Amino acid sequence: MIYICLIEPEIPQNTGNIARTAAATGSTLVLVHPLGFDISEKAVRRSGLDYWKDVKKIEYPDKKTFLSTIKDKECWFFSAHGTNRYTDISFPKDKDVYLIFGKESVGLGREILDEYSGKTLRIPMKEGERCLNLSNSVAVAVYECLRQWNYPDFL
């Protein structure tokens, strides 16, 4: 199982796109509060996210609680400052994989990058560019994991 983990996401459109990726791939969406938007049933309905009900979701009240639950998990932290290219590692087929992303404005934060330095991944891009859009980065990471697994149960 792939867990797409968003730490304190800020932009509802990005999370909506990521939720669609989660639904289409059978991944679980993990949302770590605070969120920069409302995900109440009324707000989601008003936004027209008709697939929201098909998304497996887990929520954590804060970053500290979330990080304490993943200590022994297969976790990969995505950042423009990651030490490894995302294609240079192998995602194990026999374990749940947690793909972790920070908020749009500042990413994961220095404390997470330092603590998990050996588990940080980057998506290569041209020098001088700031970063990819969060929802694009998530899609790249999820589909690389699925590619390595030979797209199990997919058409």
Side-chain angles (χ1 to χ4, degrees), residues 24-26 143 146 150-155:
T25 60
Y143 274 92
L146 291 171
N150 200 27
Y151 303 100
D153 304 320
F154 282 64
L155 297 174

Side-chain angles (χ1 to χ4, degrees), residues 47-87:
S47 297
L49 300 177
D50 59 337
Y51 52 86
W52 191 254
K53 66 186 179 325
D54 300 325
V55 179
K56 295 175 272 189
K57 297 174 282 303
I58 300 173
E59 293 182 53
Y60 288 92
D62 55 57
K63 191 171 21 178
K64 183 178 179 185
T65 303
F66 168 69
L67 292 172
S68 72
T69 66
I70 62 166
K71 289 288 184 197
D72 299 326
K73 309 286 187 202
E74 183 70 26
C75 299
W76 295 98
F77 296 81
F78 283 77
S79 169
H81 309 288
T83 55
N84 305 291
R85 287 187 303 185
Y86 77 105
T87 53

Side-chain angles (χ1 to χ4, degrees), residues 10-30:
E10 300 166 313
I11 301 173
Q13 294 88 343
N14 282 336
T15 300
N17 288 337
I18 292 164
R20 186 178 294 266
T21 297
T25 60
S27 302
T28 297
L29 178 61
V30 177

